Amino acid sequence: GISGKSQLLFALVFTTRYLDLFTSFISLYNTSMKLIYIACSYATVYLIYMKFKATYDGNHDTFRVEFLVVPVGGLSFLVNHDFSPLEILWTFSIYLESVAILPQLFMISKTGEAETITTHYLFFLGLYRALYLVNWIWRYYFEGFFDLIAVVAGVVQTILYCDFFYLYVTKVLKGKKLSLP
């Protein structure tokens, strides 16, 4: 029930976002967490496409990711904070993360239902992003920090989850299996 294409996009997100590992050191914790994010995302891709290939539902995971990667790549060249390679790749990662869940949502819409564990996974992915919105409000209020690119991308991603959140609350939390109307 997990989209390998979404997981591959998330691996690309973390790879392009954390390229600053090669140019700047913030702290051991920061470096470790970035490496863990990258390693876990590629380990997940490996598990889906190699180790558990027999259980992967490639027949339903048919979203064409180039419809996401190409426009996001173009947008990251046009709208960024600083026209430098690392900044463009960081911006690319922010934009791509906002839509990386689409292959997963497309897969659920194609199958018409999702296993409970998959719905919990998606709910917490969406909650993670929604909590970012709270973080941005907090940072703006207390630090005066505002990053328009990150905020707009976060709002787009949260909007993409809204329909799923509604179904999650009305079905899964009531003990029913998530099935689309």
Side-chain angles (χ1 to χ4, degrees):
I2 297 292
S3 167
K5 291 183 178 186
S6 273
Q7 296 308 310
L8 195 56
L9 290 175
F10 281 120
L12 184 58
V13 163
F14 296 128
T15 302
T16 55
R17 182 167 305 162
Y18 299 140
L19 287 173
D20 65 342
L21 282 168
F22 299 109
T23 61
S24 61
F25 179 80
I26 296 170
S27 70
L28 183 59
Y29 171 78
N30 182 278
T31 299
S32 300
M33 291 308 293
K34 288 178 180 181
L35 291 172
I36 289 169
Y37 266 84
I38 293 169
C40 286
S41 60
Y42 281 101
T44 303
V45 169
Y46 167 78
L47 291 172
I48 289 172
Y49 286 109
M50 304 300 262
K51 178 123 174 126
F52 298 110
K53 185 178 183 177
T55 64
Y56 171 61
D57 187 7
N59 293 329
H60 289 110
D61 194 12
T62 58
F63 190 92
R64 298 194 44 199
V65 295
E66 61 270 18
F67 290 143
L68 298 177
V69 174
V70 171
V72 162
L75 184 61
S76 64
F77 272 94
L78 296 173
V79 182
N80 53 60
H81 294 302
D82 177 38
F83 197 76
S84 67
L86 282 181
E87 184 63 29
I88 291 169
L89 289 169
W90 177 85
T91 305
F92 173 81
S93 78
I94 296 297
Y95 293 153
L96 185 60
E97 185 180 20
S98 70
V99 295
I101 199 62
L102 285 175
Q104 180 68 58
L105 297 175
F106 181 76
M107 186 174 175
I108 290 173
S109 72
K110 198 166 183 185
T111 61
E113 61 183 21
E115 295 178 24
T116 303
I117 190 72
T118 305
T119 59
H120 292 319
Y121 164 72
L122 288 173
F123 175 77
F124 283 104
L125 266 180
L127 183 61
Y128 145 82
R129 193 43 128 169
L131 288 173
Y132 257 98
L133 298 176
V134 174
N135 173 59
W136 294 322
I137 292 167
W138 178 273
R139 289 192 69 192
Y140 179 74
Y141 183 75
F142 289 104
E143 300 171 12
F145 178 79
F146 182 77
D147 184 344
L148 186 61
I149 289 173
V151 170
V152 169
V155 169
V156 167
Q157 187 175 13
T158 304
I159 289 170
L160 290 174
Y161 278 98
C162 282
D163 186 44
F164 175 79
F165 284 151
Y166 173 77
L167 291 172
Y168 184 84
V169 169
T170 59
K171 295 190 180 208
V172 177
L173 291 182
K174 293 182 179 178
K176 300 176 187 173
K177 189 173 186 174
L178 179 76
S179 59
L180 301 177

